[in-house]
Amino acid sequence: MKFASGLANKLSRFVVADRQGMGRLGLLLTCLALLLVGPEAHADCSPKARLPDTVVKFPTTIYVPPDAANGAVLATTGAVAVTGATANTQYASCSGSGSLYWQIAAAPVVANRTGTTSVAGIGYTISLSGGGFSSDLNMDTQLNAANVPGGLATPKFTSQLYVTVNLVKTGPITPGKLSLNPSGTGTPGRAGVFFAGDGGSIVFTVTMPSNVSSVSSAACTVTTLSPNVSLDAISTSALKGVDSTAGEKSFPIKLNCPSAETKVYITLTDNANPANTSTTLSLKSGSTASGVGLQVLNAGTPVAFGPDSAAPGNKNQWLVGTSSEGPMTIPLTARYVQTATKVKAGTVNGVATFTMSYQ
């Protein structure tokens, strides 16, 4: 109230003085305008120094499983260290309530936070981890500079910062060469940008070379669809106790792969008991023998059975090898195994299915 009263007194004095001429009233109004508006505070961030670009790459050939669901991750770069973003690196200077941005580009948020690629049906996501941030930063994230490590004036990374780029399925896929953001919101070849301030000043960018990787949706073809293994008849005396085995016979599963560098996985599933995750195949209904089961071996080691699924990491899924363009053979062996103290002679029948997964 004292300030208001003082201002009123000054106003009165100027008004009285103005009776002597209009020039002083104009001066009074100018002074009041300056008093009421005052200096405007500037709040923004600017990069301390631009860091070198970080380059990420995908495998030369990216295989898309035929049963991949929309949203499935088809390939990943893994966590790649952001060049120059090491512990105790100050990357910006801020004032007021400045902001930092992790985006696909200096543009509105992209749909579903998923960038575009040159391959129809495939998009990409990108995230930052480490750096001292409390959680991963997904694409199109705005940060209040006052709340990041180092504080408002001196934002800094308190540990190495990493970037991860994932390719994800967004719809029906048309195979082809891979590049990022060929049109639309983002910049071609650029996966993401870390900005300091509303002006879009770049701290660092993440890029990917164009047309180095290609996407293939063609699976290997199984050329032995239903291998039928007939084990030779044996005497019960050939089995010497629980877990003893006899009567081994080899058989192959043959594939034809249209492309190289695809990791081929397989899961065997017990048809009579799909929940079975042991190394002994259950006997099929109608078998007359008892106290005996069947095993399938890979390179001399019994294979454990698992769920009928091609999902990466499926239980008891195992790596067959990496394809070369053309034929591929999975050599397997079947045998009897004793499962109980007493063995009763009879017929032994079992059915196992196999599911291929290409990753």
Side-chain angles (χ1 to χ4, degrees), residues 116-141:
T116 61
T117 76
S118 56
V119 178
I122 293 183
Y124 76 93
T125 60
I126 182 169
S127 62
L128 297 175
S129 59
F133 296 108
S134 58
S135 61
D136 290 359
L137 305 180
N138 294 319
M139 181 186 291
D140 292 319
T141 297

Side-chain angles (χ1 to χ4, degrees), residues 57-80:
K57 295 180 181 179
F58 287 102
T60 303
T61 302
I62 300 162
Y63 171 75
V64 180
D67 56 352
N70 286 350
V73 175
L74 305 175
T76 181
T77 61
V80 177

Side-chain angles (χ1 to χ4, degrees), residues 265-269 305-318 355 357 359:
Y265 293 79
I266 188 171
T267 304
L268 298 186
T269 301
F305 297 92
D308 181 6
S309 172
N314 184 43
K315 186 174 181 62
N316 292 331
Q317 181 185 84
W318 48 277
T355 305
S357 179
Q359 300 171 28

